[in-house]
PDB file of all heavy atoms in Angstrom:
ATOM      1  N   TYR A  37      -3.598  46.187 -34.864  1.00  0.00           N
ATOM      2  CA  TYR A  37      -4.705  47.088 -35.343  1.00  0.00           C
ATOM      3  C   TYR A  37      -4.954  46.984 -36.793  1.00  0.00           C
ATOM      4  O   TYR A  37      -4.057  47.054 -37.598  1.00  0.00           O
ATOM      5  CB  TYR A  37      -4.595  48.511 -34.931  1.00  0.00           C
ATOM      6  CG  TYR A  37      -4.469  48.855 -33.519  1.00  0.00           C
ATOM      7  CD1 TYR A  37      -3.270  48.958 -32.845  1.00  0.00           C
ATOM      8  CD2 TYR A  37      -5.616  48.950 -32.781  1.00  0.00           C
ATOM      9  CE1 TYR A  37      -3.195  49.300 -31.503  1.00  0.00           C
ATOM     10  CE2 TYR A  37      -5.571  49.282 -31.391  1.00  0.00           C
ATOM     11  CZ  TYR A  37      -4.314  49.356 -30.760  1.00  0.00           C
ATOM     12  OH  TYR A  37      -4.248  49.734 -29.492  1.00  0.00           O
ATOM     13  N   ILE A  38      -6.180  46.698 -37.175  1.00  0.00           N
ATOM     14  CA  ILE A  38      -6.602  46.890 -38.622  1.00  0.00           C
ATOM     15  C   ILE A  38      -7.455  48.112 -38.573  1.00  0.00           C
ATOM     16  O   ILE A  38      -8.511  48.134 -37.934  1.00  0.00           O
ATOM     17  CB  ILE A  38      -7.376  45.569 -38.969  1.00  0.00           C
ATOM     18  CG1 ILE A  38      -6.458  44.431 -38.904  1.00  0.00           C
ATOM     19  CG2 ILE A  38      -7.831  45.799 -40.524  1.00  0.00           C
ATOM     20  CD1 ILE A  38      -7.138  43.013 -39.094  1.00  0.00           C
ATOM     21  N   SER A  39      -7.165  48.964 -39.531  1.00  0.00           N
ATOM     22  CA  SER A  39      -7.786  50.367 -39.527  1.00  0.00           C
ATOM     23  C   SER A  39      -8.021  50.770 -40.899  1.00  0.00           C
ATOM     24  O   SER A  39      -7.351  50.373 -41.857  1.00  0.00           O
ATOM     25  CB  SER A  39      -6.914  51.356 -38.830  1.00  0.00           C
ATOM     26  OG  SER A  39      -6.368  50.859 -37.597  1.00  0.00           O
ATOM     27  N   LEU A  40      -8.893  51.793 -40.989  1.00  0.00           N
ATOM     28  CA  LEU A  40      -9.145  52.559 -42.235  1.00  0.00           C
ATOM     29  C   LEU A  40      -8.134  53.771 -42.152  1.00  0.00           C
ATOM     30  O   LEU A  40      -8.252  54.504 -41.117  1.00  0.00           O
ATOM     31  CB  LEU A  40     -10.487  52.967 -42.433  1.00  0.00           C
ATOM     32  CG  LEU A  40     -11.441  52.068 -43.092  1.00  0.00           C
ATOM     33  CD1 LEU A  40     -12.824  52.641 -43.161  1.00  0.00           C
ATOM     34  CD2 LEU A  40     -11.068  51.700 -44.507  1.00  0.00           C
ATOM     35  N   LEU A  41      -7.405  53.999 -43.109  1.00  0.00           N
ATOM     36  CA  LEU A  41      -6.451  55.097 -43.052  1.00  0.00           C
ATOM     37  C   LEU A  41      -6.847  56.030 -44.289  1.00  0.00           C
ATOM     38  O   LEU A  41      -6.672  55.556 -45.396  1.00  0.00           O
ATOM     39  CB  LEU A  41      -4.999  54.678 -43.173  1.00  0.00           C
ATOM     40  CG  LEU A  41      -4.064  55.750 -43.011  1.00  0.00           C
ATOM     41  CD1 LEU A  41      -2.744  55.209 -42.224  1.00  0.00           C
ATOM     42  CD2 LEU A  41      -3.447  56.277 -44.275  1.00  0.00           C
ATOM     43  N   PHE A  42      -7.226  57.239 -44.058  1.00  0.00           N
ATOM     44  CA  PHE A  42      -7.469  58.263 -45.063  1.00  0.00           C
ATOM     45  C   PHE A  42      -6.229  59.274 -45.159  1.00  0.00           C
ATOM     46  O   PHE A  42      -5.833  59.851 -44.067  1.00  0.00           O
ATOM     47  CB  PHE A  42      -8.708  59.038 -44.699  1.00  0.00           C
ATOM     48  CG  PHE A  42     -10.015  58.204 -44.590  1.00  0.00           C
ATOM     49  CD1 PHE A  42     -10.351  57.620 -43.435  1.00  0.00           C
ATOM     50  CD2 PHE A  42     -10.755  57.882 -45.695  1.00  0.00           C
ATOM     51  CE1 PHE A  42     -11.489  56.852 -43.318  1.00  0.00           C
ATOM     52  CE2 PHE A  42     -11.830  57.021 -45.641  1.00  0.00           C
ATOM     53  CZ  PHE A  42     -12.239  56.548 -44.402  1.00  0.00           C
ATOM     54  N   SER A  43      -5.699  59.413 -46.339  1.00  0.00           N
ATOM     55  CA  SER A  43      -4.607  60.333 -46.489  1.00  0.00           C
ATOM     56  C   SER A  43      -4.969  61.411 -47.606  1.00  0.00           C
ATOM     57  O   SER A  43      -5.643  60.951 -48.541  1.00  0.00           O
ATOM     58  CB  SER A  43      -3.368  59.635 -46.838  1.00  0.00           C
ATOM     59  OG  SER A  43      -3.476  58.838 -47.895  1.00  0.00           O
ATOM     60  N   ASN A  44      -4.634  62.613 -47.331  1.00  0.00           N
ATOM     61  CA  ASN A  44      -5.078  63.643 -48.241  1.00  0.00           C
ATOM     62  C   ASN A  44      -3.931  64.647 -48.269  1.00  0.00           C
ATOM     63  O   ASN A  44      -3.451  65.212 -47.303  1.00  0.00           O
ATOM     64  CB  ASN A  44      -6.314  64.315 -47.623  1.00  0.00           C
ATOM     65  CG  ASN A  44      -7.060  65.285 -48.401  1.00  0.00           C
ATOM     66  OD1 ASN A  44      -7.792  66.098 -48.023  1.00  0.00           O
ATOM     67  ND2 ASN A  44      -6.758  65.364 -49.805  1.00  0.00           N
ATOM     68  N   ALA A  45      -3.551  65.048 -49.543  1.00  0.00           N
ATOM     69  CA  ALA A  45      -2.472  65.952 -49.727  1.00  0.00           C
ATOM     70  C   ALA A  45      -2.992  67.299 -49.512  1.00  0.00           C
ATOM     71  O   ALA A  45      -4.008  67.698 -50.011  1.00  0.00           O
ATOM     72  CB  ALA A  45      -1.883  65.838 -51.117  1.00  0.00           C
ATOM     73  N   LEU A  46      -2.269  68.221 -48.711  1.00  0.00           N
ATOM     74  CA  LEU A  46      -2.819  69.442 -48.289  1.00  0.00           C
ATOM     75  C   LEU A  46      -2.467  70.510 -49.572  1.00  0.00           C
ATOM     76  O   LEU A  46      -3.257  71.335 -49.774  1.00  0.00           O
ATOM     77  CB  LEU A  46      -2.095  70.083 -47.082  1.00  0.00           C
ATOM     78  CG  LEU A  46      -2.400  69.326 -45.864  1.00  0.00           C
ATOM     79  CD1 LEU A  46      -1.645  69.939 -44.656  1.00  0.00           C
ATOM     80  CD2 LEU A  46      -3.838  69.289 -45.547  1.00  0.00           C
ATOM     81  N   HIS A  47      -1.410  70.129 -50.232  1.00  0.00           N
ATOM     82  CA  HIS A  47      -1.038  70.927 -51.500  1.00  0.00           C
ATOM     83  C   HIS A  47      -0.489  69.945 -52.578  1.00  0.00           C
ATOM     84  O   HIS A  47       0.135  68.988 -52.251  1.00  0.00           O
ATOM     85  CB  HIS A  47       0.074  71.898 -51.244  1.00  0.00           C
ATOM     86  CG  HIS A  47      -0.353  72.914 -50.148  1.00  0.00           C
ATOM     87  ND1 HIS A  47      -1.194  73.959 -50.383  1.00  0.00           N
ATOM     88  CD2 HIS A  47       0.084  73.051 -48.883  1.00  0.00           C
ATOM     89  CE1 HIS A  47      -1.265  74.588 -49.339  1.00  0.00           C
ATOM     90  NE2 HIS A  47      -0.599  74.106 -48.385  1.00  0.00           N
ATOM     91  N   PRO A  48      -0.950  70.120 -53.810  1.00  0.00           N
ATOM     92  CA  PRO A  48      -0.547  69.163 -54.825  1.00  0.00           C
ATOM     93  C   PRO A  48       0.979  69.336 -55.244  1.00  0.00           C
ATOM     94  O   PRO A  48       1.293  69.823 -56.258  1.00  0.00           O
ATOM     95  CB  PRO A  48      -1.530  69.422 -56.022  1.00  0.00           C
ATOM     96  CG  PRO A  48      -1.855  70.916 -55.821  1.00  0.00           C
ATOM     97  CD  PRO A  48      -1.845  71.185 -54.413  1.00  0.00           C
ATOM     98  N   SER A  49       1.910  68.776 -54.343  1.00  0.00           N
ATOM     99  CA  SER A  49       3.239  68.889 -54.578  1.00  0.00           C
ATOM    100  C   SER A  49       3.994  67.699 -53.991  1.00  0.00           C
ATOM    101  O   SER A  49       3.361  67.168 -52.989  1.00  0.00           O
ATOM    102  CB  SER A  49       3.793  70.185 -54.073  1.00  0.00           C
ATOM    103  OG  SER A  49       4.823  70.087 -53.103  1.00  0.00           O
TER     104      SER A  49
END
Side-chain angles (χ1 to χ4, degrees):
Y37 295 97
I38 301 172
S39 311
L40 276 177
L41 187 146
F42 299 91
S43 53
N44 188 199
L46 299 179
H47 300 288
S49 118

